[in-house]
Amino acid sequence: MEEKPLQYGSYGYRFSDPTLQNIAQIWSLGWDEQTTSLYDWDGTNRRDTGKYIFQYTISGKGCIDIDGQSHELTPGQGFIVNIPGDYRYYLPEDSDRWEFIYLTLYGDVVKKYWDEIQNQIGHIIHFQPNSEPVHYLLNLLSMASNRQISNAHQASGKAYQFTMMLYTYCSNLEKRLSEWPEAIVESSMYAMNHYSEEIGPDEMAASSGMSRYHFTRQFKEYTNQTPIQYLTDIRIKKAKELLLNTKYSSEDIALLIGYKNANYFNKVFKKVTGTSPGKYRTNTNVSLQK
């Protein structure tokens, strides 16, 4: 059994539990790419009121007009808005595509923290590609595409956890203002989106538009990791999730995270974690049960 890979798609949820609706709940999430000016949302004319949107740019460029200003939304830039609201986000004329992930939530807890973030930080937020909110949303999208969000309590817990994670990130934003150049963000997102394929530093460099030598130096300067270390971290984090949440064999997991076979996967996993995949699965599950 193979896990369905991430791909473009949108997912909507209509749970009926009123108590959970008042706390925090998922309305919709998705991964999208827009290529025409037909993509144009006016926050004053939307019907689905009482909702709160988080949208993060993967590649390309979008635009949002808010608070009397127009903001370009390039890779690494996200925004949060309320529905309804005095804003407009759209594909601008000088952009031929805008790829993004998004999450729409509702509930009193979400409203409270969305309002606090907007008051403290504003609507536009810069995220490093390996930041916890972005990583968590990608995991939510993976769960949605594999039909693993199945009931109101589970979805409400995910909505609450994302809200707290976003608020914590924004509260500590002053400590992480060393923004990465767009080329480094592009290569990082490429690694996050294609780790399940047989890619390496050459493909990451190509996605950045830089030479391999210049890219490697720039990447290490801004991330404190080599490209292969960064890619390996992504793969091992995903392997840990699969080991704990599925019954996939090492061979299956190796293929799902971009390695050719289980032998190589086992070798890399042990080098990074100090233990084998099998022992990690057994020991961690025993600890969780205790």
Side-chain angles (χ1 to χ4, degrees):
M1 177 181 178
E2 288 192 3
E3 185 179 73
K4 185 180 178 182
L6 279 176
Q7 56 187 355
Y8 296 139
S10 60
Y11 311 90
Y13 298 92
R14 303 296 181 264
F15 299 113
S16 59
D17 190 310
T19 302
L20 297 177
Q21 288 177 351
N22 290 333
I23 299 172
Q25 191 54 276
I26 298 175
W27 180 259
S28 64
L29 70 161
W31 189 320
D32 198 2
E33 180 184 44
Q34 294 293 331
T35 57
T36 76
S37 59
L38 293 175
Y39 185 77
D40 193 327
W41 288 99
D42 186 337
T44 61
N45 294 326
R46 299 190 66 164
R47 297 180 180 178
D48 44 345
T49 59
K51 307 300 187 301
Y52 307 92
I53 301 173
F54 169 84
Q55 188 159 306
Y56 175 80
T57 301
I58 300 288
S59 64
K61 184 176 73 173
C63 195
I64 184 169
D65 298 339
I66 195 166
D67 295 336
Q69 293 184 320
S70 183
H71 302 268
E72 288 189 347
L73 299 165
T74 54
Q77 296 286 341
F79 70 80
I80 63 169
V81 292
N82 304 358
I83 303 176
D86 186 12
Y87 57 84
R88 171 181 169 237
Y89 56 94
Y90 54 95
L91 184 74
E93 292 183 359
D94 62 345
S95 175
D96 60 359
R97 60 186 293 273
W98 185 15
E99 182 185 11
F100 53 84
I101 54 178
Y102 66 90
L103 176 65
T104 305
L105 305 176
Y106 61 102
D108 294 342
V109 170
V110 182
K111 179 185 186 306
K112 168 180 166 48
Y113 286 101
W114 242 244
D115 289 345
E116 286 197 28
I117 292 170
Q118 291 173 29
N119 289 334
Q120 295 175 12
I121 303 295
H123 298 278
I124 315 301
I125 308 168
H126 184 277
F127 294 87
Q128 294 180 352
N130 60 350
S131 62
E132 288 188 342
V134 174
H135 185 68
Y136 191 79
L137 179 49
L138 288 170
N139 284 337
L140 276 183
L141 284 166
S142 177
M143 293 182 67
S145 68
N146 287 283
R147 299 182 180 180
Q148 294 171 342
I149 301 176
S150 56
N151 61 72
H153 284 83
Q154 179 194 29
S156 180
K158 299 295 184 185
Y160 182 86
Q161 190 168 355
F162 178 85
T163 301
M164 295 299 102
M165 194 173 290
L166 181 63
Y167 179 73
T168 300
Y169 178 90
C170 291
S171 298
N172 296 328
L173 199 57
E174 294 79 8
K175 300 177 183 178
R176 44 175 114 186
L177 287 180
S178 55
E179 297 183 358
W180 297 357
E182 184 175 334
I184 301 302
V185 173
E186 287 273 11
S187 64
S188 302
M189 290 309 305
Y190 179 86
M192 293 184 72
N193 299 340
H194 297 274
Y195 69 86
S196 61
E197 304 166 19
E198 291 184 18
I199 65 167
D202 286 339
E203 288 76 14
M204 291 176 65
S207 71
S208 75
M210 293 188 281
S211 69
R212 169 70 184 273
Y213 175 74
H214 185 56
F215 165 71
T216 301
R217 289 183 60 191
Q218 287 279 299
F219 195 90
K220 180 71 180 293
E221 178 182 346
Y222 284 99
T223 69
N224 293 318
Q225 288 182 298
T226 66
I228 193 63
Q229 287 171 336
Y230 186 85
L231 181 59
T232 299
D233 276 356
I234 294 172
R235 285 170 165 160
I236 296 304
K237 284 179 182 177
K238 185 62 179 178
K240 288 179 177 179
E241 293 172 15
L242 293 172
L243 286 166
L244 297 182
N245 298 315
T246 74
K247 295 182 179 179
Y248 295 155
S249 66
S250 288
E251 190 68 42
D252 292 333
I253 293 174
L255 297 176
L256 287 170
I257 63 173
Y259 291 135
K260 291 182 178 180
N261 55 62
N263 287 337
Y264 187 69
F265 163 56
N266 291 339
K267 188 180 298 183
V268 175
F269 190 93
K270 188 168 185 178
K271 182 178 180 181
V272 173
T273 67
T275 188
S276 68
K279 287 183 179 179
Y280 176 84
R281 171 180 270 164
T282 301
N283 294 341
T284 306
N285 283 333
V286 168
S287 297
L288 290 174
Q289 289 170 6
K290 288 183 178 179

